Amino acid sequence: GAVVSQHPSRVICKSGTSVKIECRSLDFQATTMFWYRQFPKQSLMLMATSNEGSKATYEQGVEKDKFLINHASLTLSTLTVTSAHPEDSSFYICSARDQRQGVRWNQPQHFGDGTRLSIL
Amino acid sequence: GQNIDQPTEMTATEGAIVQINCTYQTSGFNGLFWYQQHAGEAPTFLSYNVLDGLEEKGRFSSFLSRSKGYSYLLLKELQMKDSASYLCAPRGYNKLIFGAGTRLAVHP
């Protein structure tokens, strides 16, 4: 079945560092990928929708200059947290669904394993 | 606007049946998903409903009423490993919106 791979799984770094997280669809093409953030015991909050070959669509309240998204190919999207601070510490999860022609339109979104980001 | 409402916590006994309810309001509707999430892990897909009625998948079943903006997830023959959060996620025009989830604790 469809698999989404996310890397790294855990990052611990100093305040002010920029951190890049990669999300890959392993056996399908994803023109759209989604980035979520989850704080402890809270819901997954959609941060942005990553669109292959065009600009990402950010949800209200998410700073696009802080969270840079690049979706350069049909299988890879990256999220860069620029100049990270302790309040950016969270669980970041990417998601994608198979949108190839001929694939049933009601395919579920599959999730990467998530990246736990800790900023000291 | 968009709103999803689920109970925050539930407890149940091993071997029992539990029903987790979800009411929702979304801009556009293209089906509703249920996911399971264990602590510290990413969500895993459980079920999908786009038409009214019941979808059964082994020990898990999910029901949808579009006119009422209502869904439930039914878990049968509960096992200890079913202790997790269950996320109701209606799909709007092109994105899933997640509720806060229901934390289910299964005890012996």
Side-chain angles (χ1 to χ4, degrees), chain B:
Chain B
Q2 297 176 122
N3 188 50
I4 300 163
D5 196 28
Q6 302 178 235
T8 305
E9 293 184 348
M10 298 181 73
T11 59
T13 306
E14 195 174 13
I17 298 173
V18 71
Q19 179 174 311
I20 302 174
N21 296 320
C22 171
T23 57
Y24 64 89
Q25 290 176 309
T26 58
S27 300
F29 182 77
N30 287 295
L32 188 142
F33 294 82
W34 283 94
Y35 285 82
Q36 179 191 61
Q37 186 179 26
H38 284 99
E41 298 180 10
T44 55
F45 169 72
L46 289 179
S47 70
Y48 173 74
N49 296 70
V50 66
L51 299 176
D52 290 352
L54 189 68
E55 292 282 339
E56 296 188 78
K57 216 175 174 185
R59 293 191 299 116
F60 296 163
S61 302
S62 56
F63 171 84
L64 176 68
S65 168
R66 289 171 295 172
S67 62
K68 294 181 180 177
Y70 168 70
S71 174
Y72 68 71
L73 179 70
L74 193 71
L75 293 79
K76 304 175 188 174
E77 301 169 18
L78 280 173
Q79 302 174 9
M80 298 297 291
K81 68 178 182 180
D82 296 329
S83 294
S85 286
Y86 291 86
L87 311 177
C88 170
R91 176 182 282 162
Y93 288 115
N94 191 36
K95 54 189 179 184
L96 283 183
I97 304 299
F98 285 87
T102 298
R103 283 193 299 280
L104 174 65
V106 180
H107 54 84

Side-chain angles (χ1 to χ4, degrees), chain A:
Chain A
V3 177
V4 174
S5 171
Q6 188 173 340
H7 178 80
S9 59
R10 182 163 185 108
V11 179
I12 302 172
C13 58
K14 293 180 181 178
S15 185
T17 307
S18 291
V19 178
K20 181 191 272 190
I21 303 170
E22 292 187 348
C23 181
R24 296 180 186 273
S25 56
L26 294 186
D27 58 358
F28 66 97
Q29 293 179 334
T31 53
T32 305
M33 292 186 178
F34 304 90
W35 287 96
Y36 293 84
R37 180 168 58 180
Q38 187 176 35
F39 292 105
K41 295 190 177 181
Q42 293 189 22
S43 174
L44 278 84
M45 297 301 298
L46 180 65
M47 298 175 66
T49 302
S50 171
N51 304 299
E52 188 268 334
S54 65
K55 290 182 181 179
T57 304
Y58 289 81
E59 296 299 303
Q60 194 171 7
V62 177
E63 300 174 58
K64 55 185 173 185
D65 295 331
K66 173 82 173 172
F67 299 99
L68 301 179
I69 291 173
N70 184 278
H71 194 153
S73 78
L74 287 170
T75 59
L76 174 64
S77 175
T78 60
L79 169 69
T80 301
V81 184
T82 61
S83 187
H85 291 287
E87 58 266 28
D88 298 322
S89 298
S90 187
F91 190 47
Y92 292 85
I93 313 175
C94 72
S95 177
R97 64 185 172 100
D98 194 336
Q99 293 174 293
R100 289 171 294 179
Q101 273 194 329
V103 174
R104 282 170 44 202
W105 65 275
N106 59 350
Q107 289 290 303
Q109 273 181 223
H110 295 279
F111 287 83
D113 288 337
T115 298
R116 191 160 302 283
L117 177 62
S118 299
I119 307 297
L120 306 176

